[in-house]
């Protein structure tokens, strides 16, 4: 797959379109997994919403999920888009084509899709549910009745 992405750089419109499709697919996948983790649990863990009574753990678990998803998506994007001397693509297929082992991040494509751009688009679906829940926690913390009792005592 990495070699295919490298060869697609020769036709920038195809390369850009494939990167957009990959980003869109990743966005749907990450958003679905985040919503599942919130409501039903994911990868054997209990649902994050079960810890909504504890604001620190609740927000921390959501941010931890986002961090893990970000790391996975960044590794995927880097693995597909960056070809350098450390990652020997020609050793995987046995073709002996040394041209693929060089860093070609700017070859022929004036605006190559950077891994960071792909990750930003892939993580974009998590923004709305995360933001609404964090704002809800902040609103609940700002109007807690036990804070008023502590200041009056």
């Amino acid at each position: 797959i990495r070699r295919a992405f490298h060869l697609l750089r020769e036709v920038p419109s195809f390369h850009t379109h494939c990167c957009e499709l990959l980003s869109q697919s990743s966005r749907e996948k990450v958003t679905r997994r985040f919503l599942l983790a919130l409501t039903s649990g994911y990868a054997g863990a209990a649902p994050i919403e079960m810890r909504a009574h504890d604001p620190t753990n609740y927000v921390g678990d959501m941010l931890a999920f986002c961090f893990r998803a970000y790391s996975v998506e960044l590794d995927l994007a880097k693995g597909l888009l960056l070809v350098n001397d450390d990652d020997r693509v020609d050793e995987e297929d046995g073709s002996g084509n040394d041209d693929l082992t060089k860093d070609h991040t700017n070859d022929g494509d004036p605006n190559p899709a950077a891994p960071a751009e792909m990750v930003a688009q892939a993580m974009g679906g998590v923004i709305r549910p995360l933001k609404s829940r964090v704002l809800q926690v902040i609103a609940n913390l700002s109007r807690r009745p036990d804070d008023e009792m502590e200041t009056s005592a």
Side-chain angles (χ1 to χ4, degrees), residues 6-18:
H6 174 74
L7 293 174
L8 278 174
R9 287 189 182 150
E10 301 296 323
V11 185
S13 61
F14 288 157
H15 184 260
T16 302
H17 183 67
C18 287

Side-chain angles (χ1 to χ4, degrees), residues 122-139:
M123 295 299 294
V126 176
I127 293 171
R128 183 176 286 163
L130 178 66
K131 180 180 176 181
S132 67
R133 283 165 174 81
V134 170
L135 288 176
Q136 184 179 11
V137 166
I138 291 170

Side-chain angles (χ1 to χ4, degrees), residues 1 3 24 36 52 56 59 69 75-76 82 88 98-99 101 105 116 125 148 151:
I1 292 176
R3 182 181 173 127
Q24 180 181 358
L36 274 173
T56 305
V59 173
D75 288 344
L76 174 68
L82 300 180
R88 298 278 180 186
D98 291 336
D99 188 46
T101 62
T105 55
E148 294 172 8
T151 58

Side-chain angles (χ1 to χ4, degrees), residues 80-96:
L80 289 176
L81 296 178
L82 300 180
V83 178
N84 56 33
D85 291 331
D86 296 333
D87 301 326
R88 298 278 180 186
V89 175
D90 61 331
E91 291 176 1
E92 294 176 4
D93 64 3
S95 68

